[in-house]
């Protein structure tokens, strides 16, 4: 190898660090397009006992994991610390204590190595997970603007993404949840049905066994941004799924109502005892995963129908809002990311709708759908090129907004 090639091989290397919630992650990405490593230490089992993320425990686990996770990412990439061009870290949104662990470690590394530090918005990271993989597959760049749906346990946001003349990404938030995130609704509904944590994979697996049209859930009106607008959701009765987009300028979401509707259904249909029984059996068998036959056998047909109907309604709502916004804002492509983007029904229905509209659509691989650090290093690349580095005073911003 000539010296020039060696220099090329070692250029544009960014170490990403992510610790905003319950995953400690580190990755080395070259020039925003090639992940040389991607290490994720999940705390899922720890928090599963509580049915949700416990912030204090999350911070302690990050502290324990951050050094070994970074070391593993460097080893997997076969890269020495001196070869790095920059350190990128999630600065928000997320849990304050959890964010501080990653930021403090990234700052220490940046200081010790005299390498620039780049602060990255976690939500921008989710969007760049998809763009990075599209680049890796050497697909033609998606045309802009893009409509990005970021849908996870903490977020349900729609962004119109475009590049400025200077090559910086610009985001306009055109929709967001006014209460629970979609993933949160998955987690809460799974919990109230006595299923495991996190709920998304359980509902995803079990929904395939039920009738999605059995329970016609309907979304109500959303009060958002100071005005009321009609936002009825896709009904399982087969009603037209799309309102006239020109009449629908509100692309906000609300998922707390459907969670309450599921709870009410459980109570009014005498399902409580069966839920408690299922909860007990699953607690005694942590080895039974969402796709196990034993887990499916614990659910009677009424429960499976309820699960399938919940998912059908949620995915229908996400789909309708996303495509309506894409039409109104003239998006040339759609990007879906975040933990809920791993959902199989969501992928199938979004793909089919995009095909019908001849609109390019991209999802991250399953590994990059949930929280990871490759997406943080990828999102940092355009900032590195533009020389947009974080100050020494970089802090955690739990409510950091994008756009
Ligand atoms: O992006 P992520 O790892 O963390 C956040 O930033 O929130 O997303 C986690 C969320 C959880 O609510 C989980 O239940 C949901 O993503 N999730 C799913 C699936 N896999 C994970 N939701 C629906 N279907 C899935 N297959
Ligand atoms: Zn996330």
């Amino acid at each position: 190898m000539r010296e020039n090639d060696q220099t090329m091989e070692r250029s544009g290397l960014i170490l990403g660090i992510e610790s905003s919630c319950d995953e400690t992650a580190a990755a080395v990405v070259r020039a925003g397009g090639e992940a040389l490593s991607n290490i994720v230490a999940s705390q899922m089992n720890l928090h599963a006992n509580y049915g949700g993320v416990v912030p204090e425990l999350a911070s302690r686990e990050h502290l324990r994991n951050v050094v070994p996770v970074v070391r593993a990412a460097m080893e997997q990439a076969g890269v020495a610390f001196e070869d790095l061009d920059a350190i990128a870290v999630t600065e928000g949104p997320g849990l304050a204590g959890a964010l501080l662990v990653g930021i403090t470690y990234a700052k220490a590394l940046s200081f010790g190595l005299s390498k620039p530090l780049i602060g990255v918005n976690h939500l921008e990271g989710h969007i760049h997970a998809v763009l990075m993989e599209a680049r890796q597959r050497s697909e033609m760049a998606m045309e802009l603007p893009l409509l990005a749906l970021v849908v996870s346990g903490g977020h349900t946001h729609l962004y119109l993404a475009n590049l400025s003349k200077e090559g910086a990404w610009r985001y306009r938030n055109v929709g967001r949840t006014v209460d629970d995130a979609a993933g949160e609704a998955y987690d809460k509904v799974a919990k109230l049905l006595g299923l495991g944590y996190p709920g998304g994979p359980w509902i995803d697996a079990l929904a395939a066994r039920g009738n999605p049209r059995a329970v016609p859930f309907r979304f109500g009106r959303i009060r958002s941004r100071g005005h009321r607008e009609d936002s009825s959701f896709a009904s399982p009765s087969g009603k037209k799924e799309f309102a006239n987009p020109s009449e629908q300028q509100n692309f906000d979401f609300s998922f707390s109502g459907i969670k309450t509707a599921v709870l009410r259904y459980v109570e009014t249909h005498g399902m409580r005892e069966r839920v408690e029984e299922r909860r007990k059996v699953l607690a005694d068998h942590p080895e039974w995963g969402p796709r196990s036959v034993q887990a499916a056998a614990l659910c009677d047909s009424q429960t499976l129908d309820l699960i399938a109907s919940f998912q059908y309604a949620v995915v229908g709502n996400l789909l309708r809002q996303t495509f309506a916004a894409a039409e109104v804002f003239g998006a040339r492509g759609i990007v879906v990311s975040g933990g809920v983007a791993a959902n199989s029904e969501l992928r199938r229905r979004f793909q089919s709708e995009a095909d019908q509209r001849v609109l390019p659509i991209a999802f991250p691989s399953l590994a990059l759908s949930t929280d990871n650090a490759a997406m943080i290093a990828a999102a940092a690349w355009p900032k590195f090129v533009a020389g947009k580095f974080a100050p020494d005073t970089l802090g955690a911003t739990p409510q950091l907004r994008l756009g």
Side-chain angles (χ1 to χ4, degrees), residues 20-23 122 126 151-155 183-184 186-187 198-201 204 311 338-340 342-344 369-371:
S20 65
C21 191
D22 59 346
E23 256 106 30
H122 180 84
H126 274 303
V151 60
S152 70
H155 315 281
E184 198 177 347
Y186 267 92
D187 294 339
D204 192 354
Q311 175 160 287
V340 182
N343 187 267
S344 44
S369 292
T370 45
D371 289 350

Side-chain angles (χ1 to χ4, degrees), residues 122-193:
H122 180 84
L123 299 168
E124 184 175 19
H126 274 303
I127 296 171
H128 281 263
V130 192
L131 301 179
M132 176 181 74
E133 289 191 312
R135 236 172 271 138
Q136 272 171 358
R137 290 191 299 263
S138 320
E139 278 170 11
M140 276 178 19
M142 290 180 81
E143 284 185 49
L144 301 173
L146 287 172
L147 202 268
L149 170 66
V150 183
V151 60
S152 70
H155 315 281
T156 306
H157 284 112
L158 279 172
Y159 294 102
L160 195 64
N162 213 338
L163 273 171
S164 72
K165 276 198 217 91
E166 297 75 38
W169 281 92
R170 295 269 170 269
Y171 307 92
R172 175 171 162 204
N173 181 210
V174 298
R176 64 182 157 88
T177 181
V178 297
D179 41 53
D180 291 352
E184 198 177 347
Y186 267 92
D187 294 339
K188 287 177 177 171
V189 164
K191 191 174 177 182
L192 74 87
L193 291 176

